[in-house]
Amino acid sequence: MNEIKPPRIVERAPEGDEWIPSTCNLCYGTCSILVHKVDGVAVKIEGNPKSTVGKGRLCGKGVSGLMTHYDPNRVRVPMRRTNPEKGIGIDPGWEEISWDEALDEIAGRLKKIRAEDPRKLSIQRTTTVYTMGLPWAAFAPGFGTTNVSEGGGGLHCGNSAHQVSGLLHASWGVLPDFQYCNYALYFGASKGHAAGHNSNSNMGQAADARERGMKMVVIDPMCNFAAAKANEWVPIRVGTDAALALAMCNVLANELGTLDIPYLKAKTNGPYLIGPDGTYVRDIETNEPLVWDTKDSIAKPHNVADSEDMALEGEFEVNGVTCQPSFILLKEHLKKYTPEYAEEITTVPAENIRRLTAEFAKEARIGSTIVIDGVTLPYRPAAAIAFRGLQGHRNATFNFLAVLLLNQLVGAADVVGSCHGFNSAFDGIPETGRMGYQPKAGPDGLMEVGTWMAYDPPYPRPEPKKPEEMGLQDLFVMGMTSPFFNSKEGEELWEKLDMPYRPEMLINYGANIMMSIANKDLIAESLKKLDFIASFDLFMNETSDFVDIILPDRGYLGCYNTRPNSPYIFSHPAGMGDWSWAIQQPVVEPEGKERIFADVLIDLAERADFLSDMNAAFNAVFDLRGENRLQGDKKYSYEEICDADLKNNFGDERGLEFFKKEGVISWPKTPEEVYWRPFTDARVPIYWEWMPELGKKIQAISGPAGLDVPMEYYSALVDYLPCASHECDHDNFDFYTFYYRDTLHTNSFTMENAWLDEAAQLDPYSYNIAMNTQSGLKRGLEDGDLIQLETAKGRKVKGRVHLTQAIHPEGLGIAALCGHWAKGMPVAEGKGIFYNELLELDWENVNPVNLTLDLCSKVKVSRVEEN
Amino acid sequence: MTSARYDQLINDLKSEYRPQREWAEGRGAFLIYGHFLVGVAAGGWLLSRYFGSFDGMVLSYLLACLGGLAHLVNLARPERALNMMLRYKTSWVSRGFWGLTFFMIGGLLYFLSRSEFGAPLGEGSRISAAGDILAIIGSLTMMCYMGFVYTASKGIPFWNSTLHPVLYIAYAIRGGIAVLVLTLALRGQELGGESGLLELWIGVTAVVIVLWVLEIQGAVSSGDETAKRSINDLLAGRLAVYFYGGTLLIGLVVPLVLTTGTIAPLSASILAVIGLASIIGDFFMKYSSIKAGVYLPVRLPHLHR
Amino acid sequence: MKWGMVIDLKRCVGCYGCQLSCKAEHGTPRGVFFARVLKQEEGQYPTVSQTFLPVLCNHCEDPPCVDACPTGASFVWEDDGTVDIDHDLCVGCRTCMLACPYSNRYFNDNEQAYYGDQGQTPYEAARTSQHQEGVVMKCNFCRDRRQEGKEPACVANCPTVARHFGDLDDPTSNVSRLIKERAGFVLHPDKGTKPNVYYLPA
Amino acid sequence: MGETPAPELEIEEDRSAVLWYSAERNAAEKPAETAESENSGTTISIDVLLFGLLSAVTTESPISLSLPSTATPLDVVAALEDRFGADSFAQIKDPNIGILTCCRLFVNGEPFEDPYAPISPDGLAGTIEMIILKGFEGG
């Protein structure tokens, strides 16, 4: 037995045996947990049964948190690089420094930049600990920079999923109403079967639904996770979901004719009259879009006529122009998407497309109602949902809209059993009514979200203008996380649009930028241009090669968070049941010199003289009122700010101390909150009238600067548009790669967790490239062979192939984001495939509307000889 | 950082058919040596006793000691070896332990009682008789228990055929003969016609071959994919070298050819070679069949082939 | 009294919650899995199905491992029929590992630290170090948790509530009812060990 | 309305239609309250505190303005632009929305959402805090 080094002796006061309530953050699902601490050491993590978030149970990651917390490879002290040369794999020559030295240097640079132009500072955050990172929402505005972004998360994750879910369902994403849904169509999503928002709670709800008899049809290139549990797996060529969804919409509208006419009249902009130029015909006085009142056979503003009398079809003369209701334009437009056309593109047989659509139409039970807790509601127990897998393509926006359109045609939107936004409406915290939100009608009667993840909701949209943000989101106004932070085009545009400043300094919070966006060389270039990078991290990862000062973070078992599940549209279970409000609190002492990052930010604000601004930002972010507001430039500890936030929302007797003991409080949801759509007088856009005009406005600014906007993406009617990979037809480039989120891993950091890594090594898919057995045998490959994938641009990755029947013959399924090469993560190093190495980060591969990155690529496969 | 054996375990757990390495690699190899030595010793003692070859008995006793030692090395906690006496009611391994214990004690008493250096007990005394009986009981137990250990291992389908115990008995006898032949050869004695040892050896070898063929045929026809996988590993896989080289060539072809006397007259040295080759053949027979053990994969019933 | 478990394959989504909550509960060292998740594929493209199959010791009524064990280290608790190992008796001969048709027994002779030569984490110093080395280890249906009135860790943690734990001798218990109602089946019934872990069809 | 639906999908009687129309009807009953402020003509004094990026416009803090009591947030911004330069607040203005939602406005510590509504209908003096809270999406 080789000699085992004793663990570092950390004096632990024998504090006996207690279970401490807090919140898991190995992913942003933020399930409520209880941590068993014995004599100062955390020895078990379990779910907190008092909370509806997880209901006392955790997924595989949640229970494995200890091996990340106590990983000996954790960064434990502040360090400064001594080797000025930066590059992949070049040793930065770390030397330990004190917190004071680190903060003085960072604060000095902040002061200089803030004097010149605070926007020279950009901030990059990991999505993993999204809600725990709330203090950044105060630090950045306090300092004065608007250049804030999620490391790859948004770009890969859900730019379009979030935007379109916001426009149509007033929430961050959509789900089937598991409790009542009888027929769920999954397009490129796992919802309740692998990872993502509320994955743990969704698993329970989806399992209940499956046992109750909900039929699941999963459209996915791979039969893993959701498709494995489905009643029917519909294999599909990668990235062609929109063609299938539009063909199904066509069958619904033009073959079966099973439409929820009252819904389309009252809840969509279907009745709005569209003139020859494709825009609304507007009332001369009120400028409101006009509709045709069939009772009085005259055009009236939408907010004057009764929806019941509005025409959805026909042609009319209004204000001297001939016009038609937008619905008929959509209905006609859909006709070109015949099932036969879709079969050609998607490889899904036409008769399956017709059968599935007929099943969906029948299960939707158009016209039926149901009584829930005494409230009569529309009953549409069928849902078509989608998420990251579907929208990870250049046609992201339309891909997502095409799927959600299926629900709109049968009225299955935010009612019982239907497609749901997560928690789009909330009455507020009992007794104080704080934090409540309700979707409502905005300009032109179209729906505005009740609440949003940030402060630029999807509607109403600002006007595109000459950009002053590095990500150019003030020009691409429907964009969210942006490629222009790191892409070459971004720099060229800053130049040509004479951006008043250039990025000089980056502060990173846990994001592994080198692995989470695209190929590593390109990202390395963009990082090397920055003068100074400071980074809060758990481990020294691939990005650390470019960092100047690394600061040790306490991690989720050592941090405060008063809003782990807020806003409820992000990480709280949907559907009927309870609301829960939990907190996150430090559970164990640090193993080294780690500090709570929020207090570090407050220190920095003090040293760089913007503490009063940061306090004002905290007041704004937490919406603190009365004596809970932070005063002037007084220095608060983050613990005090948390106490103020909780008292502000829950009253003085329920501050931090109350929640530290209680952990979580819950109260019941009402049917009106969960099934809010009939109670909200607002319409959703199924005809995106503003798009052509918006495209032209953007082109007017970006065109002269050398970036042309492809107008087919800015059309008012939803279309299938191929990705670059579909048009790559070099010979023997015959596989489409796609990546999916493994249930065992979160983004790129849990591969270092020894338990999760061990489980992933045993999993047939986690660290392998899944290939169809027949496709593999045809190429003389055997299960376990080492193969190489190469894109047309010459990007290469290697990995072990796993031959399986459970994948489309042209698909290569890879779990992301593995393939570490950093020495600071020895367990993770060399495990799995660095998928993003295959990706380019340029305008041809970015969705021109929401700036989502196209994640599929066409590759050539070859076996790697091993001696 | 990760130990090679741990990586091997992970790869094994990933593969559909997982080879058993518990009694094959690392300290597990000593289990094979132990079973081999104890088997030969048991046969050796009985046959030597029957043919009255004192040398054979001494050699067998030494082999048994070595076998016992090997078994101890196989144990991860040898200091608790005596616990293995407890569950003789159900455990074949425990019965084997008792067998070896009886044999060791019996053999010792037997030697002490009639050794040339005139121990007080003298031949024919009750102690010597007790020793003799104990040793016989011990070696019979050692000979018979071993096959049942494998038959009882439900996790390895290849071993579960009922022929296994008979096969191990046959091994023991063949080993015994080989020990006798070896001791005679070492004494430089020519093999007298009367002993018929060689004929007996050929007969037992034939029995072993028949049992082997039956067992392999049984496994193949049983339709049990796992057993077939073991045989595949044995005849065409990772253990083919040991099987063809060790068991067939050295253990069968060489001695058989030599016994015909065509190559060379049955001189003492040839006898020694025959004996040794036979023993080596037995070793590789056990070595390859034990290492060929493959775990029954855990599968849903309707998927189990 | 005979404890048994029912695992609903329609509910399980292969999240590894059982395998890892068990590991967290007992601090089992590397390469020792009291509970595991297997993935089994069936059929030809495109009519393919994949089943997530969580496995653990079946606590058989006629356990071959207990019969095979020479020292009595492997034994059956009289009070509740669960199969356990007395690590003070085990000599590490590993016979039981070969006797088990479900290969649910693991030999503890790997390094006792998940991060190898970087030493044990404080968690492992608190939990993993309690285990003896050179002995065989297995699931005992969380005897310690049960004595505190809790369900086994894997049952309590399963996010899809796919695992049910109860007394198979009591016909009215949840497990007995589920086995009857949903035609529960066992793995390798032909091995005659009378396993007490049942599966409900996917 | 287009082809007749396939036979077995016949909707006997659409019970949900009335529910789809209900919200619109409820909204129609409630008169849209447009409170007219009575005491027009008087002026109110307002102290403006600019934080974060906006504080780059001036070091003067607070900025005291006196505006008519019907002043709306847009009027405040217009007054500030008169003082500090025509497009000093261009980044937060927008023809569709008035003031971008990421520019948070607090009147006497309470958030103020509508850029077109009068800041203090009751004509009291007030402190306005303004700060730009930028996007934090992702996940």
Side-chain angles (χ1 to χ4, degrees):
Chain A
M1 201 49 50
N2 48 27
E3 161 267 332
I4 297 293
K5 280 202 303 250
R8 271 184 308 291
I9 304 304
V10 176
E11 337 66 42
R12 296 185 206 295
E15 283 144 274
D17 186 329
E18 52 179 329
W19 289 85
I20 299 168
S22 187
T23 298
C24 174
N25 234 153
L26 270 167
C27 91
Y28 50 65
T30 53
C31 298
S32 308
I33 58 175
L34 291 171
V35 184
H36 190 196
K37 187 162 97 171
V38 175
D39 300 338
V41 176
V43 291
K44 182 79 188 302
I45 296 178
E46 291 182 359
N48 184 345
K50 267 175 58 181
S51 167
T52 187
V53 191
K55 291 194 174 69
R57 296 158 186 271
L58 297 174
C59 74
K61 299 190 284 286
V63 296
S64 307
L66 296 182
M67 291 308 272
T68 291
H69 184 75
Y70 286 123
D71 184 334
N73 301 296
R74 281 279 300 274
V75 175
R76 297 290 187 201
V77 291
M79 282 176 281
R80 170 195 286 119
R81 108 187 271 117
T82 53
N83 173 5
E85 195 207 343
K86 294 185 178 181
I88 298 172
I90 295 175
D91 178 10
W94 294 112
E95 65 167 10
E96 181 177 347
I97 53 175
S98 71
W99 271 103
D100 277 336
E101 282 172 283
L103 297 186
D104 282 343
E105 181 172 352
I106 296 171
R109 290 173 177 274
L110 286 175
K111 219 183 278 189
K112 180 174 102 37
I113 280 182
R114 192 157 196 269
E116 295 160 6
D117 186 335
R119 294 171 298 183
K120 292 186 173 182
L121 167 70
S122 66
I123 289 174
Q124 189 85 228
R125 290 165 16 118
T126 176
T127 54
T128 303
V129 287
Y130 184 75
T131 55
M132 194 168 91
L134 208 51
W136 289 101
F139 180 83
F143 181 77
T145 180
T146 56
N147 293 318
V148 183
S149 124
E150 306 306 300
L155 196 58
H156 284 205
C157 198
N159 274 4
S160 304
H162 305 316
Q163 279 279 323
V164 181
S165 300
L167 287 170
L168 267 62
H169 291 274
S171 180
W172 198 242
V174 290
L175 269 179
D177 176 23
F178 285 121
Q179 201 172 349
Y180 294 98
C181 183
N182 295 333
Y183 191 91
L185 272 172
Y186 276 60
F187 286 79
S190 61
K191 293 303 172 189
H193 302 86
H197 298 277
N198 280 313
S199 48
N200 179 29
S201 305
N202 287 344
M203 286 178 189
Q205 290 186 10
D208 292 344
R210 249 194 325 279
E211 192 171 352
R212 175 175 54 78
M214 175 181 89
K215 185 173 183 207
M216 261 173 74
V217 175
V218 178
I219 293 110
D220 200 299
M222 197 165 162
C223 184
N224 193 10
F225 301 128
K229 306 309 293 185
N231 304 74
E232 181 174 355
W233 169 46
V234 179
I236 186 170
R237 171 175 291 144
V238 175
T240 59
D241 304 66
L244 174 61
L246 290 174
M248 292 176 76
C249 288
N250 176 29
V251 170
L252 266 183
N254 296 312
E255 292 187 6
L256 300 175
T258 48
L259 302 167
D260 188 337
I261 301 302
Y263 174 83
L264 291 166
K265 284 188 189 176
K267 298 292 180 181
T268 75
N269 69 347
Y272 288 12
L273 294 172
I274 306 296
D277 62 357
T279 62
Y280 295 140
V281 178
R282 290 176 178 273
D283 182 62
I284 293 131
E285 289 94 21
T286 63
N287 199 35
E288 288 290 342
L290 292 171
V291 295
W292 186 261
D293 185 321
T294 52
K295 191 148 57 67
D296 307 338
S297 57
I298 183 171
K300 292 182 183 171
H302 67 90
N303 50 7
V304 172
D306 282 347
S307 297
E308 200 168 357
D309 310 326
M310 292 181 185
L312 280 175
E313 311 228 346
E315 210 170 71
F316 311 98
E317 285 303 316
V318 177
N319 297 354
V321 290
T322 53
C323 54
Q324 293 181 289
S326 74
F327 174 71
I328 193 65
L329 296 179
L330 172 66
K331 190 162 181 279
E332 295 307 315
H333 170 77
L334 288 172
K335 282 182 175 157
K336 71 178 184 198
Y337 288 99
T338 62
E340 288 67 26
Y341 163 84
E343 175 174 0
E344 196 59 42
I345 295 178
T346 66
T347 74
V348 178
E351 68 272 13
N352 280 4
I353 298 176
R354 286 199 168 84
R355 172 176 56 80
L356 292 174
T357 313
E359 285 171 7
F360 180 77
K362 186 161 89 55
E363 292 291 342
R365 295 171 181 244
I366 298 170
S368 59
T369 57
I370 191 171
V371 179
I372 306 281
D373 297 354
V375 181
T376 304
L377 297 157
Y379 177 55
R380 296 289 179 283
I385 64 150
F387 194 59
R388 202 201 60 76
L390 167 93
Q391 61 94 55
H393 301 281
R394 190 171 198 215
N395 189 29
T397 315
F398 284 156
N399 277 357
F400 210 85
L401 179 58
V403 171
L404 295 193
L405 210 51
L406 276 167
N407 305 304
Q408 298 297 320
L409 293 175
V410 294
D414 300 297
V415 282
V416 180
S418 79
C419 174
H420 258 240
F422 331 138
N423 304 317
S424 312
F426 168 49
D427 289 346
I429 294 165
E431 295 100 30
T432 66
R434 302 270 302 128
M435 303 290 290
Y437 54 86
Q438 182 68 30
K440 59 183 186 303
D444 295 346
L446 297 183
M447 184 167 71
E448 284 182 24
V449 296
T451 184
W452 198 238
M453 291 304 291
Y455 297 91
D456 39 18
Y459 187 73
R461 267 170 304 285
E463 279 294 295
K465 53 174 174 263
K466 193 168 93 53
E468 295 212 352
E469 285 179 31
M470 272 170 48
L472 307 180
Q473 288 100 339
D474 41 4
L475 170 60
F476 296 92
V477 291
M478 291 181 75
M480 293 165 65
T481 306
S482 157
F484 297 119
F485 270 94
N486 309 92
S487 74
K488 292 219 169 12
E489 280 130 349
E491 286 160 63
E492 286 149 16
L493 282 170
W494 299 335
E495 207 52 48
K496 298 221 182 83
L497 295 168
D498 50 64
M499 181 80 81
Y501 62 90
R502 284 299 174 282
E504 285 177 11
M505 178 172 169
L506 166 70
I507 303 184
N508 173 48
Y509 176 63
N512 191 350
I513 311 152
M514 279 298 292
M515 289 190 72
S516 64
I517 300 181
N519 65 76
K520 54 181 180 293
D521 301 329
L522 190 127
I523 307 298
E525 282 318 306
S526 69
L527 290 177
K528 269 196 269 191
K529 292 200 180 63
L530 295 167
D531 304 344
F532 183 84
I533 300 179
S535 184
F536 293 78
D537 276 301
L538 299 180
F539 302 100
M540 288 211 278
N541 55 36
E542 288 67 18
T543 305
S544 310
D545 285 350
F546 300 86
V547 169
D548 298 286
I549 289 186
I550 275 199
L551 302 173
D553 186 53
R554 285 279 297 271
Y556 80 96
L557 289 179
C559 203
Y560 279 108
N561 181 4
T562 54
R563 303 174 168 212
N565 302 98
S566 169
Y568 281 151
I569 61 171
F570 180 77
S571 57
H572 186 285
M576 290 302 288
D578 282 350
W579 296 111
S580 279
W581 193 285
I583 66 153
Q584 200 167 345
Q585 61 177 308
V587 168
V588 279
E589 294 314 309
E591 292 290 302
K593 295 208 183 90
E594 310 93 285
R595 287 185 60 197
I596 291 179
F597 79 93
D599 289 319
V600 174
L601 297 185
I602 293 165
D603 275 358
L604 282 175
E606 183 188 39
R607 292 172 194 234
D609 311 329
F610 63 94
L611 199 49
S612 58
D613 293 89
M614 186 161 176
N615 283 344
F618 267 123
N619 288 336
V621 168
F622 284 139
D623 192 3
L624 298 175
R625 307 281 181 84
E627 84 285 2
N628 290 316
R629 282 175 72 84
L630 310 187
Q631 306 306 325
D633 59 3
K634 177 169 180 282
K635 185 173 183 185
Y636 297 83
S637 74
Y638 190 54
E639 199 169 351
E640 289 166 312
I641 296 171
C642 289
D643 190 44
D645 179 38
L646 289 169
K647 284 178 175 150
N648 188 54
N649 281 335
F650 290 92
D652 288 347
E653 345 63 49
R654 293 203 282 187
L656 188 57
E657 284 322 309
F658 168 83
F659 272 97
K660 273 185 164 179
K661 274 191 297 307
E662 195 65 26
V664 63
I665 56 174
S666 302
W667 64 92
K669 295 180 176 181
T670 65
E672 288 83 354
E673 283 174 308
V674 177
Y675 307 118
W676 51 277
R677 197 65 196 290
F679 309 99
T680 307
D681 182 19
R683 295 168 180 274
V684 294
I686 55 172
Y687 178 87
W688 285 22
E689 181 256 3
W690 68 87
M691 287 290 269
E693 205 183 318
L694 178 63
K696 293 194 196 74
K697 284 180 187 158
I698 295 173
Q699 172 67 23
I701 298 169
S702 71
L707 193 81
D708 282 325
V709 175
M711 282 307 158
E712 64 274 26
Y713 286 90
Y714 276 88
S715 95
L717 287 163
V718 56
D719 259 318
Y720 163 71
L721 299 167
C723 307
S725 62
H726 298 121
E727 279 151 354
C728 158
D729 50 13
H730 310 295
D731 43 25
N732 61 45
F733 275 77
D734 39 24
F735 281 101
Y736 294 100
T737 64
F738 63 95
Y739 86 72
Y740 56 89
R741 277 198 277 193
D742 194 347
T743 187
L744 266 172
H745 282 307
T746 301
N747 294 342
S748 71
F749 90 108
T750 47
M751 296 84 193
E752 173 60 19
N753 179 308
W755 284 348
L756 295 176
D757 169 60
E758 181 181 58
Q761 285 183 63
L762 293 176
D763 185 279
Y765 298 105
S766 285
Y767 288 149
N768 296 323
I769 300 170
M771 178 190 286
N772 181 282
T773 308
Q774 283 73 20
S775 306
L777 296 179
K778 240 188 301 178
R779 285 164 185 74
L781 295 175
E782 277 165 25
D783 196 53
D785 278 353
L786 186 64
I787 62 173
Q788 173 176 280
L789 314 183
E790 185 179 353
T791 65
K793 291 253 174 61
R795 307 279 172 197
K796 297 189 183 71
V797 287
K798 289 194 180 64
R800 298 246 164 242
V801 69
H802 171 57
L803 297 185
T804 166
Q805 299 289 347
I807 189 166
H808 190 275
E810 297 167 0
L812 290 181
I814 294 172
L817 296 164
C818 310
H820 282 266
W821 64 87
K823 295 283 173 277
M825 299 171 83
V827 174
E829 191 188 353
K831 297 282 176 46
I833 295 96
F834 176 40
Y835 181 88
N836 291 347
E837 182 62 19
L838 298 171
L839 300 182
E840 300 305 326
L841 189 64
D842 51 34
W843 191 234
E844 285 100 41
N845 287 289
V846 165
N847 174 272
V849 177
N850 298 132
L851 303 181
T852 315
L853 187 63
D854 193 323
L855 304 177
C856 69
S857 59
K858 199 80 177 291
V859 292
K860 176 171 61 174
V861 171
S862 52
R863 188 216 304 268
V864 175
E865 292 320 319
E866 287 179 291
N867 37 32
Chain B
M1 172 194 47
T2 54
S3 67
R5 193 161 356 94
Y6 170 70
D7 288 346
Q8 184 181 58
L9 171 69
I10 293 291
N11 278 334
D12 286 352
L13 290 173
K14 270 206 288 209
S15 52
E16 193 178 3
Y17 291 104
R18 176 176 159 221
Q20 72 83 14
R21 300 184 195 274
E22 310 317 330
W23 287 354
E25 292 174 5
R27 60 160 63 84
F30 285 89
L31 181 281
I32 298 177
Y33 310 148
H35 271 184
F36 161 70
L37 291 167
V38 162
V40 171
W45 179 273
L46 286 174
L47 285 160
S48 302
R49 171 98 183 46
Y50 180 75
F51 283 93
S53 154
F54 185 77
D55 300 348
M57 296 169 80
V58 169
L59 180 57
S60 302
Y61 194 83
L62 281 178
L63 288 175
C65 293
L66 276 178
L69 261 179
H71 274 300
L72 282 180
V73 170
N74 168 57
L75 300 183
R77 308 295 290 267
E79 72 278 12
R80 300 174 174 169
L82 293 183
N83 290 349
M84 298 175 78
M85 309 181 97
L86 298 172
R87 297 299 300 276
Y88 53 86
K89 283 206 192 68
T90 62
S91 161
W92 283 104
V93 171
S94 181
R95 290 164 191 159
F97 188 88
W98 276 102
L100 188 59
T101 314
F102 285 159
F103 178 78
M104 301 308 284
I105 299 164
L108 200 61
L109 289 178
Y110 184 84
F111 285 134
L112 292 179
S113 65
R114 53 187 304 288
S115 69
E116 273 68 15
F117 27 75
L121 307 172
E123 206 183 344
S125 70
R126 280 199 332 291
I127 300 293
S128 155
D132 186 23
I133 293 161
L134 261 181
I136 287 168
I137 293 166
S139 46
L140 279 173
T141 316
M142 289 196 305
M143 199 157 74
C144 303
Y145 96 96
M146 213 176 292
F148 289 103
V149 167
Y150 293 99
T151 314
S153 301
K154 291 193 172 184
I156 314 284
F158 174 52
W159 294 348
N160 295 148
S161 93
T162 49
L163 292 174
H164 234 65
V166 182
L167 192 61
Y168 269 73
I169 293 168
Y171 282 158
I173 295 167
R174 197 173 101 115
I177 301 164
V179 160
L180 259 184
V181 166
L182 200 59
T183 45
L184 294 178
L186 292 178
R187 274 262 187 251
Q189 279 166 307
E190 289 296 315
L191 243 194
E194 88 299 346
S195 68
L197 264 182
L198 282 189
E199 290 68 20
L200 187 59
W201 181 80
I202 292 166
V204 167
T205 304
V207 167
V208 164
I209 293 168
V210 165
L211 289 174
W212 245 98
V213 168
L214 281 177
E215 182 152 306
I216 288 183
Q217 193 274 334
V220 168
S221 63
S222 73
D224 185 315
E225 283 301 315
T226 319
K228 276 192 214 158
R229 181 55 187 255
S230 290
I231 287 160
N232 184 302
D233 287 355
L234 194 62
L235 304 184
R238 56 196 164 95
L239 300 160
V241 173
Y242 306 113
F243 183 72
Y244 294 113
T247 314
L248 292 188
L249 187 65
I250 299 173
L252 276 179
V253 171
V254 166
L256 272 178
V257 165
L258 290 178
T259 53
T260 58
T262 51
I263 305 286
L266 291 177
S267 68
S269 55
I270 294 298
L271 278 183
V273 168
I274 290 170
L276 211 56
S278 169
I279 288 176
I280 290 169
D282 282 358
F283 170 72
F284 279 111
M285 178 86 85
K286 284 188 181 171
Y287 179 83
S288 52
S289 65
I290 295 169
K291 283 196 86 156
V294 172
Y295 280 106
L296 176 68
V298 179
R299 278 211 203 89
L300 290 166
H302 62 283
L303 286 182
H304 181 50
R305 293 184 295 277
Chain C
M1 154 64 90
K2 184 175 64 187
W3 287 118
M5 198 178 282
V6 168
I7 298 177
D8 187 343
L9 297 180
K10 185 185 276 293
R11 285 178 156 272
C12 169
V13 290
C15 80
Y16 289 88
C18 46
Q19 176 170 327
L20 293 160
S21 57
C22 168
K23 189 159 273 295
E25 178 73 25
H26 302 288
T28 47
R30 278 183 353 167
V32 175
F33 305 96
F34 290 176
R36 271 192 66 202
V37 176
L38 308 177
K39 291 188 176 181
Q40 309 212 327
E41 202 180 284
E42 186 189 349
Q44 291 286 337
Y45 180 84
T47 43
V48 184
S49 73
Q50 178 169 201
T51 307
F52 303 130
L53 180 64
V55 291
L56 72 163
C57 169
N58 291 280
H59 293 274
C60 305
E61 210 158 323
D62 299 344
C65 54
V66 171
D67 292 349
C69 173
T71 65
S74 280
F75 68 99
V76 180
W77 287 96
E78 258 58 41
D79 57 5
D80 58 18
T82 54
V83 179
D84 206 342
I85 297 178
D86 176 347
H87 283 144
D88 295 333
L89 282 176
C90 174
V91 288
C93 69
R94 311 183 296 290
T95 311
C96 56
M97 293 174 73
L98 300 164
C100 172
Y102 305 100
S103 41
N104 273 320
R105 292 170 152 262
Y106 291 86
F107 186 44
N108 181 12
D109 74 341
N110 290 316
E111 286 153 319
Q112 301 301 290
Y114 258 93
Y115 290 101
D117 49 26
Q118 290 180 295
Q120 286 193 328
T121 58
Y123 164 80
E124 288 164 313
R127 280 292 185 269
T128 310
S129 53
Q130 291 167 4
H131 296 297
Q132 292 191 34
E133 289 176 59
V135 292
V136 174
M137 296 171 72
K138 70 179 288 296
C139 149
N140 65 6
F141 272 167
C142 276
R143 185 168 185 84
D144 303 341
R145 281 179 66 98
R146 283 186 283 114
Q147 268 147 6
E148 294 164 21
K150 295 183 187 171
E151 289 189 307
C154 58
V155 176
N157 182 69
C158 176
T160 59
V161 195
R163 302 173 80 101
H164 308 275
F165 184 70
D167 176 5
L168 290 174
D169 282 347
D170 167 7
T172 65
S173 70
N174 58 351
V175 282
S176 308
R177 188 175 41 75
L178 280 169
I179 292 167
K180 274 200 290 299
E181 279 169 17
R182 298 266 308 272
F185 62 90
V186 294
L187 302 181
H188 295 319
D190 51 311
K191 290 297 172 184
T193 62
K194 297 203 192 70
N196 287 324
V197 171
Y198 287 77
Y199 291 88
L200 305 180
Chain D
M1 199 62 67
E3 295 80 11
T4 56
E8 82 283 0
L9 298 178
E10 208 60 52
I11 303 162
E12 317 79 20
E13 169 246 347
D14 188 338
R15 291 189 307 280
S16 55
V18 61
L19 297 173
W20 291 131
Y21 300 133
S22 60
E24 176 184 72
R25 289 181 182 139
N26 305 345
E29 274 102 33
K30 282 204 296 314
E33 351 76 11
T34 53
E36 280 313 316
S37 77
E38 309 73 20
N39 46 27
S40 60
T42 58
T43 63
I44 47 174
S45 70
I46 294 170
D47 284 346
V48 178
L49 296 166
L50 300 176
F51 293 103
L53 186 59
L54 295 176
S55 65
V57 170
T58 168
T59 50
E60 184 189 341
S61 177
I63 309 157
S64 36
L65 302 168
S66 74
L67 292 167
S69 63
T70 59
T72 68
L74 276 173
D75 301 336
V76 171
V77 169
L80 290 171
E81 286 202 314
D82 296 346
R83 168 102 51 105
F84 300 108
D87 56 5
S88 49
F89 288 80
Q91 215 181 19
I92 61 164
K93 290 201 305 189
D94 180 84
N96 308 344
I97 308 166
I99 298 178
L100 289 179
T101 43
C102 67
C103 174
R104 306 292 290 146
L105 216 87
F106 293 81
V107 178
N108 300 333
E110 301 282 333
F112 199 91
E113 302 299 342
D114 184 353
Y116 302 98
I119 304 167
S120 62
D122 43 29
L124 297 175
T127 321
I128 294 182
E129 293 171 28
M130 292 171 67
I131 183 166
I132 297 177
L133 296 181
K134 191 50 192 81
F136 267 90
E137 302 91 10

